[in-house]
Structure formats: C-alpha cells, structure tokens
Amino acid sequence: MVDASWFGLASFVVIAVNSLALGLETYGRAVVAAGGPLRMVEYACFAFFVLELLVRFGAHLRRPTGFFRDRWNVFDLLILAAPLVPGVRENVTLLRLLRLARIVRAFRLFPSLRVILVGIRRSLPGLGSFLLVTVLVLYGYAMLGWMLFGAEYPDRYGTVGQAMLTLFLLLSLDGITDTLQAGREITEWAVLYYVSYMVTACYLLTNLLVGVVLNALEEAHQEERAAAERDIRQKAPDGLTEPSVHEQLAQLRAIITDLERRLPQAPTGRPGDSAA
C-alpha cells in the first residue's frame, strides 16, 4: 500500500489542499467568510497526515528500526509532533512555519523532486567555495571601481561596500549598457573594466555555478538509482534477486569458457597431408 502510486498521489493531493488553505488564510476576507471551514480543512489534512504516518510505520512492524532509518519518516514525525510540544503550540509564528514545512513533504513522493533536493544539499560544500571566489572577485573589482568612479559616483562607488553592491546587481547584466556609457564619460579605462568584469564575473562564475549544481544533481541521481536497486533487492524473495549487469557478464563469460573447453580440438597436420 505504501509503494502504490495512488497512495502517493492521494498524499500529494492532501498536501496541495493544505497549501491552498494556508494561502487563503492570508486573505482577510476569506478568513472572515470561511474561517470555520478553513480550520476544518486544516484538521482534516492533519488527521490524514497522521494516518499516513501510521500506515508507513505499519509497513515496518517487523523491523521498526527501518522506519527511523528513513530520514523522510523522521522529518514527517517531527513536523507532526512539534505542534504538541509546550511552547511551540502557543507560538503562532512557529505553528505557521511548521504548517508551511508540510509542503516540503511533497519532495518525498516523487523521485525527481528528491533528486533535486538531494542535489541541492550535496552542492552546498561546492557552493561555499563558489561564494568565496565570488566575494574575492567582487571585492577586487569594487576596489578598482572605487578608485575609478568613487569621486564622480559616490552613491554607487563611494565605499567598497557600495561598490560591491553595485557590482552584485550588475551580475544580471541589467543596465550594463548605461553603466558602461556613464563610465566612459569619466575614463576610457571603463571599457576594459566593465568588459573584463562581465567576462570574469558574469560568464565564468555563472558557468562555474552551473557546473557545481549539475555535478551535484548527477551524483544525487546516481545515489537515487542505487537506493532504488537496493530496495528492489531487499523486497525480492530469497533466490529471486536479479543479478547485476557485472554479475550477468561474469556468468556469460563462464558459460562461453565452458563451451570452448567442450568443443573438439581441430586436427593439426602438415600442409602436404591434405593433398595426398
């Protein structure tokens, strides 16, 4: 039942309904007109989430520890149990955050969404190095911008902090033409300054960021496939587990070697024997 597609689809529908109800509560007229029904929808969604968690726990009755090994199950348990903790249930802001966190549960229902979430988590170490490189590049160009345009444009290059903010906003290349033209009115070095900045920061750093994220997503995709294969092996009856590709190739080589040994040896003789 837990692995059935309709079960995951039903969970996703309830999550969508809960998200819609949470969004309607931001409209004052909707709260005044349908405050009671919205609370009933909230309670019904919460009851479904509790029932869903009990069903998932029931799938691990033989081995209850397997339920807690799944980090998604632990996340669901914390999200549902946190409103019952004293000090949390009295805080309206925390309760709304916990209700909003239920939307994240949709990631567990679809493998593609899980791959994206895991890929983002795996890319965090690489993003730290990327941010460090970005800060160093922005700081260097901010100092150059302060020396070139600090006196004429104090609102944008008056300090290194203002210059870094200006250059950060230019990463999207929005308004770069007007900025370049304004810089040329001060010095011709503005062309070299902004062109080198566009190449270094806007293109090279952006491609570096894309490479880090794509590499993390590929690793997350491979991890998801490996986890799916492990689940299939664990759920398959003993002796019926499908061997891997490497195991199948090894078996095929063994069969070919055995057949070659059984083949009769071709007779060998001198070249003149056949003519005689």
Side-chain angles (χ1 to χ4, degrees), residues 105-236:
R105 300 179 68 253
F107 283 92
R108 76 169 299 165
L109 303 177
F110 302 98
S112 57
L113 295 180
R114 289 200 302 267
V115 168
I116 295 176
L117 188 62
V118 174
I120 293 174
R121 178 180 59 82
R122 294 179 68 94
S123 65
L124 290 179
L127 289 178
S129 302
F130 168 79
L131 290 177
L132 179 60
V133 174
T134 303
V135 169
L136 293 177
V137 171
L138 289 179
Y139 185 81
Y141 274 93
M143 290 298 298
L144 291 176
W146 173 76
M147 290 185 289
L148 292 174
F149 315 113
E152 288 76 9
Y153 298 108
D155 55 335
R156 291 187 290 178
Y157 295 96
T159 62
V160 67
Q162 291 175 336
M164 290 183 68
L165 179 60
T166 300
L167 293 175
F168 179 78
L169 296 177
L170 287 177
L171 284 174
S172 62
L173 298 179
D174 185 20
I176 189 64
T177 304
D178 297 335
T179 303
L180 177 59
Q181 186 63 32
R184 291 187 61 186
E185 296 177 358
I186 300 173
T187 175
E188 289 298 327
W189 288 101
V191 177
L192 179 61
Y193 174 78
Y194 284 112
V195 170
S196 63
Y197 174 74
M198 285 188 292
V199 173
T200 304
C202 301
Y203 296 128
L204 294 182
L205 290 181
T206 302
N207 291 333
L208 177 61
L209 175 62
V210 172
V212 170
V213 175
L214 288 180
N215 186 41
L217 289 176
E218 180 63 24
E219 293 178 356
H221 184 66
Q222 294 177 359
E223 182 179 345
E224 183 71 20
R225 286 189 297 182
E229 291 178 359
R230 286 196 301 267
D231 292 340
I232 293 175
R233 293 193 185 98
Q234 291 176 359
K235 293 176 182 179

Side-chain angles (χ1 to χ4, degrees), residues 14-69:
V14 176
I15 292 174
V17 172
N18 185 33
S19 304
L20 180 61
L22 186 62
L24 289 176
E25 291 180 2
T26 61
Y27 296 90
R29 295 182 180 179
V31 174
V32 174
L38 287 177
R39 284 192 294 271
M40 294 300 296
V41 170
E42 166 65 20
Y43 295 148
C45 292
F46 182 79
F48 178 85
F49 292 147
V50 172
L51 179 62
E52 177 193 4
L53 194 63
L54 292 176
V55 171
R56 294 186 182 277
F57 183 78
H60 296 83
L61 280 180
R62 296 183 178 180
R63 296 179 180 178
T65 56
F67 175 82
F68 297 98
R69 290 177 182 173

Side-chain angles (χ1 to χ4, degrees), residues 58-105:
H60 296 83
L61 280 180
R62 296 183 178 180
R63 296 179 180 178
T65 56
F67 175 82
F68 297 98
R69 290 177 182 173
D70 190 344
R71 287 175 289 185
W72 284 106
N73 292 333
V74 177
F75 175 78
D76 294 344
L77 182 61
L78 292 176
I79 291 298
L80 296 179
L84 304 178
V85 177
V88 176
R89 57 189 176 189
E90 292 84 6
N91 194 317
V92 179
T93 303
L94 285 179
L95 287 178
R96 289 177 177 174
L97 288 176
L98 291 172
R99 292 173 60 192
L100 183 62
R102 297 176 190 171
I103 302 176
V104 184
R105 300 179 68 253

Side-chain angles (χ1 to χ4, degrees), residues 3-23:
D3 295 333
S5 59
W6 65 266
F7 186 78
L9 181 61
S11 301
F12 179 77
V13 170
V14 176
I15 292 174
V17 172
N18 185 33
S19 304
L20 180 61
L22 186 62

